[in-house]
Amino acid sequence: TTSTTSTSFNNNVIQQLRCIVVVLKSIDSSDMKLIPFRPLWGVVEGFGGTRTFRDAIEAISSLGYAGIEVPLKGVYYIGEKTFTETLDEFGLKVGFQVFTDGPVSPGEGIVAGGPYPGFPQSGKSLDQHFHVFQAQVEAAAKYNPVFVNSHSMRDHWPLERGARFFERAIRFEQDQVQGAFPVVHETHRMRFLYSPWVVREILPHFPELKLCADLSHFTCVGEVPPDDEDIISVVKAMAPQVYHYHARVGYEEGPQVADPRTEMWMPYTLNFEKLWKIIWDARRECGADYLTFSPEHGPPPYQQTNPHTGVPLADIWDVNSFIAIRQQELFSNGR
């Protein structure tokens, strides 16, 4: 019975997502549009998944997503020719993730191959972080991304040092990228913008800074629920500067609930949706033409598992489809 119910639910999710995305794409108005991207994290080989790149792209395209979100390193791991030709074949765009240090930066090995030629190795200094960032953004431009999302710096950096990085990053974006695509900096644990309180402190000094909001880290770092008044206040302050967001439901003790569809976690899902609506409303108020998002519930160890079997407590493919459906139901009609 459980298996039959699960299969029926999954089929309903897929059908609803197809219908909703088609409606979204058919809207022709001057109002702001919501543009869905699908991360390859937990989906494809090399990034915690099991699908081949082509199979993943075909499946994502069939669900109506506008594009994929993937580390720049994925281009070289998959192969530039295969990467670009497959996206072109299925009509998908790309948003890249870049990392100012660590194993997912192209100058390092361990994750998804590498090191790849032409990219500097990671280091601890501000200059090294900036040069690793700069090299990836410059390389990403070749593939006409819709956005580049940076995991910038480290959480232990003092405010003054982080400010100097942002000064250079903003100047680089203005002088070199020149509006071809937004370069956003993600609110993420381990990174400089790991905490809502750091964001609250630094943001007034950088009105030009563009953000990717992953608010699941805020509830985890602050150890507060998503309806916390201080979190809401920070989200309202940062929302006009958010160009892209990751739709993942977190909680006080972690960045990802086991299953946001369940009765236990649905109140958190609803309150996260209120936070995302703050972003939507602020960007529309700013006159933005569109807002991009990625449903980003990830694989184990992000996804909780049965401690005896290691089996995930929910299928993140289905969970992300559920999140994407709800986002488009909420926002695709300009509400």
Side-chain angles (χ1 to χ4, degrees), residues 245-304:
Y245 69 97
H246 285 170
R248 181 173 58 238
V249 179
Y251 66 116
E252 294 92 330
E253 310 306 334
Q256 181 170 306
V257 301
D259 191 337
R261 303 168 294 183
T262 61
E263 183 178 357
M264 176 180 180
W265 293 115
M266 183 55 73
Y268 282 73
T269 301
L270 294 172
N271 281 320
F272 264 90
E273 289 175 347
K274 291 176 183 178
L275 297 178
W276 298 327
K277 188 175 188 304
I278 291 171
I279 295 170
W280 170 269
D281 289 342
R283 291 302 298 157
R284 188 164 58 173
E285 181 88 9
C286 291
D289 294 326
Y290 65 89
L291 178 64
T292 58
F293 85 100
S294 297
E296 210 206 16
H297 281 250
Y302 255 71
Q303 176 56 35
Q304 297 172 35

Side-chain angles (χ1 to χ4, degrees), residues 13-26 34-38 56-68 90-93 293 317 321 324 328:
V13 164
I14 291 171
Q15 186 56 42
Q16 289 177 58
L17 184 56
R18 282 180 176 145
C19 293
I20 291 167
V21 173
V22 169
V23 170
L24 175 65
K25 286 190 170 183
S26 69
L34 185 71
I35 302 180
F37 281 70
R38 189 68 174 242
I57 296 306
E58 185 173 7
I60 290 167
S61 174
S62 72
L63 292 174
Y65 285 90
I68 59 169
F90 290 97
L92 292 182
K93 300 181 183 300
F293 85 100
W317 180 267
S321 294
Q328 294 174 23

Side-chain angles (χ1 to χ4, degrees), residues 100-122:
T100 66
D101 74 343
V104 195
S105 60
E108 301 294 334
I110 305 175
V111 175
Y116 295 103
F119 292 97
Q121 286 188 317
S122 300

